[in-house]
Amino acid sequence: MSDHNVFTPEDRTAIETATAAALAIANGSKDWDQYCEIFYAPDATILLPHLEPVVGRPAIADFIKEGFPGMTSFDFRTVSLEGCGDLAYVRGTYHLEMTTRDGPIADHGKFISIWKRQDDGSWKNSLYMSNPSPPAA
């Protein structure tokens, strides 16, 4: 039986694996329900600039489907990944490209996400918050 007060290399790998699997979907099949199943806890919340919180896996999947239909590329880069017990946090950067009827859009910025160990031992993103970086002057 594992000691849930220790954040192990296996825990780190589980978070990195879930992130890689979600990114493969985001840049491949775009099956947002599957993406959310892999990446988000059932009661997850996302906090994005100028928007109300989006709460719960189904609402997050619907938000992505409606808000990012022309996504052509999405990437996360982990800057740090730390944890203790059943909680972990990831700090990183993101880059997003979309095609809209007005032309291509590119966005980049930074994020923080809090991950929780689930009852089945898996790790899921429980809280995600991001904000765009302003363009260079």
Side-chain angles (χ1 to χ4, degrees), residues 34-75:
Q34 184 183 21
Y35 172 91
C36 288
E37 180 75 26
I38 290 169
F39 196 67
Y40 288 109
D43 60 348
T45 300
I46 59 173
L47 305 170
L48 302 175
H50 312 292
L51 298 172
E52 292 298 317
V54 181
V55 180
R57 195 185 283 155
I60 294 169
D62 288 345
F63 173 80
I64 295 170
K65 290 174 198 174
E66 293 171 18
F68 301 93
M71 185 184 329
T72 57
S73 174
F74 187 52
D75 194 26

Side-chain angles (χ1 to χ4, degrees), residues 8-9 30 34 63 68-69 75 80 83-84 88-89 100 132:
T8 67
K30 300 195 183 346
Q34 184 183 21
F63 173 80
F68 301 93
D75 194 26
S80 65
C84 182
Y89 72 88
T100 70

